[in-house]
Structure formats: C-alpha cells, structure tokens
Amino acid sequence: MGFSGWGRYPTSESRLIAPVSAAEVEANLGSSEPWDTPVIARGAGRSYGDSALSETLISTRYLDNFSSFTTSASGHTVLRCASGMSLEKVLETIIPKGLFLPVLPGTKAVTIGGAIAADVHGKNHHIDGSFCDHVASVRVMLATGEVIDCHRESNAELFHATCGGMGLTGIILDAAIKLMPLSSLDIAQRSLAAGNLQDCMDLMEEHDDAKYSVAWIDCLATGAAQGRSVLYLGEHVDEQDAREKSKPGRKGLRAIQRSELNIPFDAPSILLNKYTMAGFNSAYYALQKRRATTKRIAYDSFFFPLERLRNWNRLYGAKGFLQYQLALPQESAHAGISAILSCASQAGKGSFLSVLKKFGKANSNLLSFPIEGYTLALDFKYEASLFPLLDKLDTLVLDHGGRLYLAKDARMSKECFQQSYGQWERFAELRQKFDPKGKFSSLQSRRLGLS
C-alpha cells in the first residue's frame, strides 16, 4: 500500500499494522513477522515528509481512549489519554469542562503521540514553549515489549529522547498532559501591517507579551518592501461566564466542521507559478493592510485557518509540495531570513503560505526544533528545479546558526542535520541503548544517519 506525509512527497510502499491495544502491540513485537523489517509508528500522517514512512507502519488509530483527569500538586488539571487520540477529539472533550490545550500546532488532526514525537509548537512558543513542555509523563513501549513510564524526574533520559525524537525510541502508548483553564472559546485578534521584515520583527518584539503571535509574509516582495507582513496577535477573551458561553460540546464543534470546504481534486500544477503567487500575495497584503483592526473570532478560525479547506494539500498538484521550515537564533535572524527570502525570490520560487513566528528559549529535549529566535516556514510545490534552491537555503541556514524542522523535512542531508542539531550524538547513543537492534527506523532516520 502506498503512503506519504501531508506534503505527498516522498511516497513509500509499506505494510500497515493497526493494533487495537497495547497488549497486541507487545505481542507482535515478540514475534518475527512483520517485525523483521524496519518499523515506525504512524498517527494521523500529518508530518509533511518521510518521518512516519518505513517498510512497516504501526498505526495508533485504535489507541484512542481517555484514561483519567487528575489534579497535580501544582493545581493543574492533568489529562491522561492514549497516543492515537487526535487533538480535535481532546478539544471536544475538555472544552465543555472549561479547559484547553496549552499549545496547539496549525492542525487539530495531529495525534497526541505525533505531537509529542515532533514536540510541536504553536503561536505562543515565545511565552509557553512547545507541546512537550506541558507533558507530565509518557508511557513508551520499547522494542523488547517493555513499557516504561518516563518523565523529567524518573527515566529522564528516555523522556527527553522521546519528546521530539520522531518515534525512534519506541511506541508512545499514552501520555499525561497538563491543561490550562479556558476563559472563552473566542480570541481577540489584532492585525497589524508591517512594511518590511524589520518592521515586522520590531512589532513582534514590541508586542512580546501577547499570548499568541504569528505573521504572514509576502515572500516575493523585494527591495524596501521585502518581507512585508501582516502580524496577527491574539488573546483569549476574558469572560466570567466563559464555561457556559463556550459550551458547544461535540454538537457545536461538529457544526464548525460542517462549514469546511473540500478540495475534491488535485489542482493543475501549472496554476502555481511566480506570477499567480505574486498576484495573490500583493492582493492579500493590500486587503489585510486596509482591514488592520481588532476583532473577536472563534478559536477554531484563529488556530486552524487552513482546516476550513479540507485536503488543502491538493492545491499544490498531484506531485505534492515541500514545506521548508527553519529556525534561526535571535542575533542572526533578520540577516538570515532576509537572505533566504532574497534567494527564493531570485529563483522565482514563491509560497502562498509564508509564516513567521517568534521562539522562546529551547528546552532540554535532544531533537526538539525550537531555538530562541525566529522561525520561518515556506511552502514550495514539488518540481525538480526546487532541490538546488533548497540546498542553497540549507547553506544559508547553517551559516546563520539555524536548523530545519524534522516534522516538515523531506530531503535534508545527513551533514546538514548533524551540523545543526548539537545533541544528535547523545540521541544516537540513547537510541542504541533503548533499541540496540534498530527495530524502529524511518526513511528520514536512515537518510539522516540516525538508524
């Protein structure tokens, strides 16, 4: 059966196994079939490249039960649930209780296991860190079938290797996650137009105390307008009676889903070119500049704007696309991002969705992506002429002390990875310790020299 990530490049012929319980996973691990081939866990398939592709895939879709709600010593409500549970189903359950996930990526289709394996981040990393900063513990099944409950105080090595470890330490069975109180389902969103990249970064620094912050960038604008942007700031609306007003439960959330539009077929790739993208970007910037204002919007629209377009990856054509997401340290971020935008623009490669966010401090997880500074994400449709450009961008990222996001990567070289992830050797040592026979392996891990 053929599989791919969300970017639809690359593809892989794989065998899919879908255990219905942790006991079934353990029983299969002890047998020789089908575990005699490389194996990796697969959640919702929303990583973009080949991190969840291998000869054998273990689907976690049936590991989707809730275990408990408890209160921690610090007063946090802690949810324990299985790794195959999607963020969408988690939100459906906790929102009526007046609770919310403290970190959300750009899609709610991601599973809990996937969010931990990629240590996903959101629009509030500069304040709240990444997803795993709110994970209290994780239960991991090793290649031997042994299940280990790990957290920062016990089995800490496995915890910090599993969080952000792209599934290479074992199968995440379930996790305990700290939740935050929800004041309202609505977000007070403020939009600010920035004339260029420096203006945008200045605005981000000026509004560093905003809970949520993300900027759309016109990646094809040049000269004095390079990096012109629309910065979106967000705060939860403060309401005393929020629990009653934000109590749509499953019925309300499904009503939101019914308003989605579906992309029923692959768009002709020829429609995506530098002229159509330049026209779209110019029009979008002009429109948003005129509309710069503060308004109240539903949380779903703020956190997951692309979810309104189901199968939006089809817009890039049948061959798919590659998302190139980089992080650069604070001191070199402006120069590096400016050079990257110039390089992409000169090559005639543009992106409708170019997103800039600010990162806070890095955490202790060995392969987690965020470093203190800025992150830029660019989408490029697949075409052979794209790869030489991405190689040039890799050089610029390394020259400015940055790195690429493993959850979005589909073609990074081993050399680029090893130069940019300073703790990769320690991760490799721990992976060897917990999986000495190398059962857990993906196309990405082999390409990067991790398995």
Side-chain angles (χ1 to χ4, degrees):
M1 187 182 300
F3 291 90
S4 71
W6 185 245
R8 306 173 76 188
Y9 170 86
T11 59
S12 172
E13 288 296 320
S14 308
R15 168 184 281 183
L16 181 70
I17 307 297
V20 298
S21 67
E24 185 174 327
V25 176
E26 182 180 4
N28 280 303
L29 279 173
S31 68
S32 59
E33 178 68 26
W35 309 97
D36 55 352
T37 62
V39 172
I40 199 72
R42 182 179 175 90
R46 294 304 286 260
S47 57
Y48 281 55
D50 54 1
S51 60
L53 297 179
S54 195
E55 283 76 358
T56 299
L57 306 176
I58 310 170
S59 172
T60 62
R61 60 183 173 178
Y62 297 126
L63 305 178
D64 62 350
N65 61 294
F66 290 101
S67 299
S68 64
F69 282 96
T70 58
T71 302
S72 69
S74 60
H76 288 95
T77 299
V78 178
L79 164 70
R80 180 171 286 278
C81 66
S83 63
M85 186 71 65
S86 70
L87 301 189
E88 180 178 16
K89 290 188 178 297
V90 170
L91 290 170
E92 285 182 0
T93 301
I94 66 176
I95 282 175
K97 300 178 185 297
L99 299 167
F100 205 60
L101 285 167
V103 171
L104 288 170
T107 172
K108 57 189 173 185
V110 171
T111 62
I112 290 293
I116 293 170
D119 196 7
V120 297
H121 55 273
K123 299 174 176 66
N124 56 332
H125 188 277
H126 62 294
I127 288 180
D128 296 313
S130 57
F131 191 87
C132 290
D133 293 323
H134 306 273
V135 172
S137 65
V138 181
R139 283 204 316 143
V140 183
M141 183 175 289
L142 304 183
T144 60
E146 179 185 6
V147 176
I148 297 181
D149 191 0
C150 55
H151 44 83
R152 291 172 180 83
E153 291 74 36
S154 177
N155 299 311
E157 284 186 336
L158 182 58
F159 180 87
H160 290 299
T162 298
C163 292
M166 306 308 293
L168 297 174
T169 59
I171 301 172
I172 298 171
L173 297 178
D174 55 45
I177 303 154
K178 299 175 184 177
L179 305 177
M180 60 174 274
L182 178 68
S183 60
S184 171
L185 270 184
D186 291 341
I187 299 292
Q189 175 184 278
R190 183 182 180 190
S191 58
L192 302 169
N196 53 45
L197 178 62
Q198 186 63 63
D199 288 347
C200 182
M201 289 183 162
D202 288 345
L203 284 172
M204 284 185 159
E205 296 295 335
E206 179 183 346
H207 297 281
D208 188 54
D209 58 344
K211 174 77 168 178
Y212 303 107
S213 174
V214 62
W216 168 87
I217 285 188
D218 181 352
C219 67
L220 288 174
T222 59
Q226 184 192 62
R228 61 183 179 182
S229 320
V230 180
L231 174 62
Y232 297 99
L233 305 172
E235 302 282 351
H236 290 278
V237 173
D238 186 14
E239 294 177 341
Q240 293 297 321
D241 55 347
R243 182 169 296 188
E244 291 303 316
K245 290 189 176 183
S246 63
K247 204 171 185 179
R250 296 179 185 276
K251 182 178 179 181
L253 291 173
R254 285 173 181 161
I256 291 174
Q257 293 165 8
R258 284 196 296 271
S259 69
E260 296 172 353
L261 297 175
N262 182 40
I263 306 300
F265 53 82
D266 296 324
S269 179
I270 195 172
L271 294 180
L272 290 179
N273 56 63
K274 63 181 180 180
Y275 303 108
T276 57
M277 284 185 276
F280 171 85
N281 286 355
S282 294
Y284 183 85
Y285 177 75
L287 178 63
Q288 296 304 316
K289 184 178 180 180
R290 289 197 300 270
R291 289 181 174 177
T293 184
T294 299
K295 61 181 180 180
R296 179 169 171 161
I297 65 174
Y299 87 96
D300 214 63
S301 298
F302 182 79
F303 290 107
F304 316 118
L306 286 176
E307 298 288 273
R308 296 296 181 92
L309 289 175
R310 291 182 58 202
N311 301 310
W312 62 264
N313 55 349
R314 292 177 176 171
L315 292 172
Y316 289 89
K319 292 183 178 180
F321 72 103
L322 290 85
Q323 184 170 109
Y324 190 86
Q325 184 165 2
L326 58 103
L328 296 179
Q330 184 86 21
E331 61 272 14
S332 63
H334 180 269
I337 291 173
S338 178
I340 285 163
L341 291 175
S342 293
C343 192
S345 178
Q346 290 167 10
K349 307 294 186 186
S351 169
F352 289 124
L353 186 64
S354 304
V355 175
L356 181 71
K357 290 181 286 193
K358 187 178 180 184
F359 276 162
K361 292 182 179 179
N363 59 28
S364 300
N365 302 329
L366 300 181
L367 295 186
S368 287
F369 168 63
I371 54 177
E372 188 169 10
Y374 286 84
T375 178
L376 175 70
L378 303 167
D379 287 350
F380 299 107
K381 73 172 182 179
Y382 173 88
E383 51 190 342
S385 60
L386 172 64
F387 292 85
L389 168 64
L390 297 183
D391 290 340
K392 292 180 181 178
L393 298 187
D394 289 352
T395 299
L396 290 172
V397 170
L398 292 177
D399 287 347
H400 289 86
R403 60 172 54 155
L404 304 180
Y405 191 14
L406 295 178
K408 305 293 180 67
D409 165 55
R411 35 66 57 195
M412 176 175 29
S413 70
K414 177 173 69 174
E415 293 73 23
C416 181
F417 167 70
Q418 292 181 354
Q419 288 182 54
S420 55
Y421 279 82
Q423 299 192 80
W424 77 268
E425 290 179 291
R426 179 57 180 154
F427 178 86
E429 291 173 359
L430 290 174
R431 184 183 173 281
Q432 177 65 24
K433 174 183 176 180
F434 294 115
D435 184 14
K437 294 184 179 180
K439 277 192 175 183
F440 297 110
S441 172
S442 65
L443 298 189
Q444 181 186 67
S445 69
R446 279 167 259 165
R447 172 166 49 83
L448 299 181
L450 285 174
S451 61

